[in-house]
Amino acid sequence: MAGKVISVNESNFEQEVLNSDVPVLVDFWAPWCGPCRLIAPIVEELAVELEGKAKVVKVNTDENPNLAMRYGIRAIPTIMVFKNGRVVDTKVGVQSKEVLKALLT
């Protein structure tokens, strides 16, 4: 399963997310965040299940504060879905796999 979720930072966000040909689920998280650790396995499963149809990336908000600020991240985990370079949906807090999958399909 490992290797399907892409770690994104300020230098490759535009390439991996904004310029993507497929929908992108972005998980804004931090290592110290308990709920972020709860949702991580769900995010990883989605990355495997939706390979080729959607992209799943993670942004560490501690290491990428400018991205967190740019997208108004006030609580984590925050899940944003991007299509054609634009945010089309946002969910804050732990979400079920079904809810997250529905955002991408």
Side-chain angles (χ1 to χ4, degrees):
M1 249 194 252
K4 303 289 184 196
V5 176
I6 302 166
S7 277
V8 174
N9 56 41
E10 291 167 8
S11 65
N12 67 352
F13 187 85
E14 185 173 345
Q15 175 191 336
E16 293 291 345
V17 178
L18 301 180
N19 295 336
S20 177
D21 294 336
V22 295
V24 184
L25 182 144
V26 181
D27 176 11
F28 288 92
W29 72 288
W32 49 264
C33 166
C36 298
R37 288 194 300 271
L38 283 174
I39 204 171
I42 295 168
V43 170
E44 290 168 14
E45 285 176 31
L46 285 174
V48 172
E49 286 181 25
L50 298 172
E51 187 175 15
K53 299 177 197 149
K55 192 184 286 188
V56 178
V57 306
K58 293 175 80 83
V59 174
N60 182 328
T61 56
D62 286 349
E63 295 175 357
N64 300 282
N66 291 335
L67 280 176
M69 197 165 46
R70 178 176 171 188
Y71 289 100
I73 305 303
R74 296 172 194 256
I76 52 175
T78 292
I79 304 291
M80 288 188 165
V81 175
F82 288 75
K83 292 182 181 172
N84 300 316
R86 295 202 165 119
V87 177
V88 295
D89 215 330
T90 302
K91 298 286 184 196
V92 178
V94 175
Q95 306 293 321
S96 71
K97 182 176 173 183
E98 291 73 26
V99 167
L100 296 181
K101 191 170 185 176
L103 297 176
L104 289 166
T105 54

